[in-house]
């Protein structure tokens, strides 16, 4: 057993030697590395070349990070890329300093450098981590992974599958990524969308199943811009949680459902297909159902149909109160192709839409393109905030708030489920409310990553 004295002596030895490699240093500190680096993956079908990717620990998706609710996550991020990078822990209510937003919560980590991420995970649920520097490029190259926080007591399911959905824009000859990550057309329209749809990095993922088995499917949409319309075939299913947060009661799946970029969904699904048949997670494209994931059903007579699931336990301190005296704000989203935006402020100067387009910028929030020095909302800790959002564009957007979950305030005054990413369609006005209970500067942006990079980004300051 290492005594404290021996440990200290070891520390002295380390400090006095100058050229300790980073990995060795991190290992010596008992920390776990998470390294962003180049790699390859067989994303295109067999017979095609492997695709050059950037991935955490060299793979895509990156390693699954799994911990128990209330446990501490510690990773020394090592940037082995030729570009600066950071890691953002999407959906976790953590310390602002750990949120991974370059220029807002930390300096970008330079190539060859490290950053220690360390925080406790207050909420059980399905989350993910991804690069937050030049994310249009870095996430498209594969820098993302699942982050699972387990409930203190495991819910009653037979199996669990984490399914990370993405689409890759590959050259069909070479199977390599289209390198135009800043493409004007993508930025000004619906974002960068791929031509090869995958789950967990595979285009034809197949998971053997048995009749009457109950799966927990943890769906994560890691795509740059694609909204997945999904459905079930050969399953009976319920939505148990959205964006990590349990619904008050499971919602039976009767139709297709949407999963916007950045969003997650926890489903419980029971296999009802017969042995020898297939069950599917279905991806609906232009009204046609395609297999997103196949579940060949094997013979097994040992199981019987289960009772419908009950709700997952709620996460702590999620009540929204004081709505009557809430601080209010409004967000007017404009721009994009076929939009009405005439002029907006970029870098402190009023510009025409044409001038903005020349700068490869297309979207404005309250008349300003991109981040500003002043937050959209500055609020004291503990207050409720009501934010009305008007999507005055012809495109959908997936608005993501860092650091806090919100609820939609429905037109009848009722609350919608807790979310961290709100999918909004063109022309819609929606209202969200949240408790400003997490101090710090929090980004609020469109998770169609090309939109964020071409104007759709603002922030919220919660005073301590
Ligand atoms: Cu999932 Cu600001 O990001
Ligand atoms: Cu958008």
């Amino acid at each position: 057993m290492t005594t404290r004295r021996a440990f200290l002596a070891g520390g002295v030895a380390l400090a006095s030697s100058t050229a300790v490699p980073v990995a060795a240093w991190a290992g010596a500190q008992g920390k776990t590395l998470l390294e962003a680096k180049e790699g390859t993956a067989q994303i295109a079908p067999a017979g095609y070349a492997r695709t050059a990717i950037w991935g955490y620990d060299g793979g895509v998706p990156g390693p699954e990070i799994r911990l128990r609710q209330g446990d501490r996550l510690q990773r020394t991020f090592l940037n082995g890329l030729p570009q600066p990078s950071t890691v953002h822990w999407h959906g976790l209510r953590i310390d602002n300093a750990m949120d991974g937003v370059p220029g807002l919560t930390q300096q970008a980590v330079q190539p060859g450098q490290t950053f220690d991420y360390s925080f406790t995970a207050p909420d059980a649920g399905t989350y993910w981590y991804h690069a937050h520097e030049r994310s249009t490029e870095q996430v498209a190259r594969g820098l993302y992974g699942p982050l699972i926080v387990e409930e203190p007591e495991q819910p009653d399911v037979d199996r669990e599958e984490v399914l990370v959905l993405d689409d890759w824009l590959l050259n069909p000859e070479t199977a390599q990524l289209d390198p135009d990550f800043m493409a004007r057309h993508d930025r000004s329209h619906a974002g960068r969308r791929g031509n090869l749809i995958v789950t967990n990095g595979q285009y034809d993922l197949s998971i053997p199943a048995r009749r009457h088995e109950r799966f927990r499917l943890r769906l994560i949409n890691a795509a740059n811009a694609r909204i997945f319309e999904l459905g079930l075939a050969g399953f009976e299913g319920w939505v148990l949680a959205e964006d990590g947060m349990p619904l008050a009661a499971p919602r039976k799946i009767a139709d297709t459902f949407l999963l916007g970029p950045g969003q997650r969904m926890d489903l419980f699904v029971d296999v009802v297909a017969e042995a020898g048949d297939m069950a599917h997670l279905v991806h609906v494209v232009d009204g046609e159902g395609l297999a997103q994931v196949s579940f060949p059903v094997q013979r097994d007579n040992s199981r019987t149909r289960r009772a419908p699931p009950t709700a997952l336990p709620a996460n702590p301190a999620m009540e929204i109160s004081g709505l009557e005296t809430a601080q209010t704000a409004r967000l007017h989203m404009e721009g994009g192709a076929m939009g009405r935006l005439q002029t907006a402020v970029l870098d402190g100067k009023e510009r025409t839409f044409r001038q903005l387009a020349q700068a490869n910028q297309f979207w404005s929030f309250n008349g300003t393109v991109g981040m500003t020095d002043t937050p959209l909302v500055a609020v004291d800790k503990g207050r409720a905030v009501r934010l009305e959002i008007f999507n005055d564009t012809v495109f959908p957007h997936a608005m993501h708030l860092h650091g806090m979950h919100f609820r939609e305030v429905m037109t009848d005054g009722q609350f919608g489920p807790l979310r961290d990413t709100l999918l909004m369609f063109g022309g819609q006005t929606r209202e969200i409310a949240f408790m400003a209970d997490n101090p710090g500067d929090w980004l609020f942006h469109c998770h169609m990553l090309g939109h964020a990079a071409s104007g759709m980004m603002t922030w919220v300051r919660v005073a301590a």
Side-chain angles (χ1 to χ4, degrees):
M1 213 171 104
T2 317
T3 65
R4 182 173 158 75
R5 218 169 132 219
F7 181 76
L8 286 174
V12 171
L14 266 180
S16 60
S17 75
T18 44
V20 179
V22 170
W25 171 84
Q29 301 295 309
K31 288 176 184 155
T32 315
L33 264 192
L34 183 67
E35 184 178 5
K37 57 181 178 187
E38 297 172 13
T40 64
Q42 188 65 48
I43 293 166
Y48 282 87
R50 291 174 71 83
T51 301
I53 60 124
W54 291 359
Y56 292 106
D57 295 351
V60 67
E64 177 182 294
I65 298 178
R66 187 175 276 266
L67 60 160
R68 295 279 290 273
Q69 185 170 16
D71 280 358
R72 180 162 286 272
L73 186 154
Q74 278 180 298
R75 289 291 184 282
T76 295
F77 169 61
L78 169 59
N79 184 2
L81 303 171
Q83 280 178 10
S85 194
T86 58
V87 186
H88 169 56
W89 316 90
H90 181 126
L92 282 116
R93 298 189 294 160
I94 56 176
D95 286 351
N96 191 244
M98 296 291 123
D99 198 43
V101 180
L104 194 67
T105 70
Q106 68 168 98
Q107 300 282 314
V109 183
Q110 297 302 315
Q113 300 295 300
T114 65
F115 186 91
D116 285 341
Y117 289 100
S118 173
F119 52 83
T120 53
D123 302 315
T126 301
Y127 306 95
W128 63 303
Y129 62 97
H130 63 80
H132 215 296
E133 170 77 356
R134 295 176 67 145
S135 53
T136 328
E137 170 176 354
Q138 295 191 1
V139 173
R141 287 187 185 273
L143 285 166
Y144 58 78
L147 200 174
I148 307 302
V149 184
E150 294 182 343
E151 293 83 12
E153 274 177 52
Q154 290 297 298
D156 183 23
V157 296
D158 297 308
R159 287 163 68 190
E160 178 178 311
E161 295 290 341
V162 179
L163 304 175
V164 187
L165 314 186
D166 193 7
D167 59 345
W168 290 72
L169 187 56
L170 301 183
N171 178 321
E173 311 271 297
T174 62
Q176 301 310 303
L177 272 165
D178 181 323
D180 191 2
F181 299 104
M182 312 256 283
R184 236 156 238 291
H185 184 275
D186 293 346
R187 283 160 81 116
S188 58
H189 291 72
R192 178 185 169 100
R193 282 186 295 179
N195 51 8
L196 186 67
I197 310 256
V198 303
T199 310
N200 299 346
Q202 262 176 271
Y203 82 101
D204 60 348
L205 184 64
S206 173
I207 298 170
R210 294 167 193 282
R211 187 162 156 82
H212 296 320
E213 230 177 356
R214 174 166 289 173
F215 284 83
R216 178 183 194 160
L217 303 181
R218 296 181 183 263
L219 309 182
I220 301 169
N221 183 351
N224 267 39
R226 180 175 296 271
I227 300 165
F228 281 88
E229 182 180 1
L230 300 169
L232 300 175
F235 286 118
E236 180 176 26
W238 296 263
V239 180
L240 274 281
E242 288 173 327
D243 294 352
M245 296 296 166
L247 302 181
R251 187 171 69 224
K252 182 109 202 262
I253 298 170
D255 207 337
T256 63
F257 52 93
L258 299 178
L259 195 67
Q263 294 187 319
R264 288 90 59 217
M265 224 177 237
D266 284 61
L267 311 182
F268 281 16
V269 297
D270 294 351
V271 178
V272 295
E274 302 285 344
D277 281 355
M278 289 265 207
H280 286 107
L281 176 66
V282 180
H283 178 205
V284 181
V285 181
D286 298 328
E288 195 192 345
L290 308 172
Q292 180 73 31
V293 182
S294 305
F295 297 80
V297 182
Q298 296 163 358
R299 184 158 304 283
D300 179 357
N301 295 325
S302 67
R303 285 161 215 275
T304 51
R305 191 81 178 260
R306 286 162 172 268
T310 53
L312 293 167
N315 283 314
M318 305 294 316
E319 299 75 31
I320 299 176
S321 58
L323 214 56
E324 316 71 44
T325 55
Q327 188 155 327
T328 58
R330 207 165 173 271
L331 181 68
H332 185 198
M333 309 164 70
E334 285 182 285
M338 300 167 280
R340 286 198 297 244
L341 184 65
Q342 305 266 319
T343 65
V345 174
L346 172 66
D347 298 331
K349 277 218 301 225
E350 188 92 13
R351 329 248 173 172
T352 63
F353 188 72
R354 206 187 139 83
Q355 288 171 324
L356 294 175
Q358 276 159 1
N360 211 4
Q361 297 291 313
F362 297 98
W363 310 91
S364 69
F365 282 171
N366 293 347
T368 301
V369 177
M371 287 291 275
T372 51
D373 294 340
T374 41
L376 172 69
V377 178
V379 58
D380 289 334
K381 181 173 183 248
R383 248 186 116 179
V385 176
R386 290 178 80 136
L387 181 59
E388 189 182 86
I389 310 170
F390 175 26
N391 177 3
D392 193 5
T393 81
V394 302
F395 292 96
H397 302 287
M399 292 302 298
H400 171 47
L401 178 63
H402 285 215
M404 291 159 290
H405 274 65
F406 54 80
R407 288 182 187 275
E408 183 165 2
V409 185
M410 303 301 193
T411 43
D412 60 0
Q414 300 288 320
F415 277 134
L418 285 160
R419 298 219 74 135
D420 60 43
T421 307
L422 180 73
L423 183 60
M424 302 187 63
F425 291 91
Q428 284 185 336
T429 298
R430 313 262 292 267
E431 189 182 11
I432 61 170
F434 61 94
M435 291 309 285
D437 53 9
N438 200 357
D441 294 342
W442 302 104
L443 214 56
F444 183 48
H445 65 92
C446 181
H447 221 287
M448 279 126 178
L449 300 170
H451 291 173
S454 57
M456 291 200 142
M457 200 161 335
T458 183
W459 56 295
V460 170
R461 170 166 283 171
V462 180

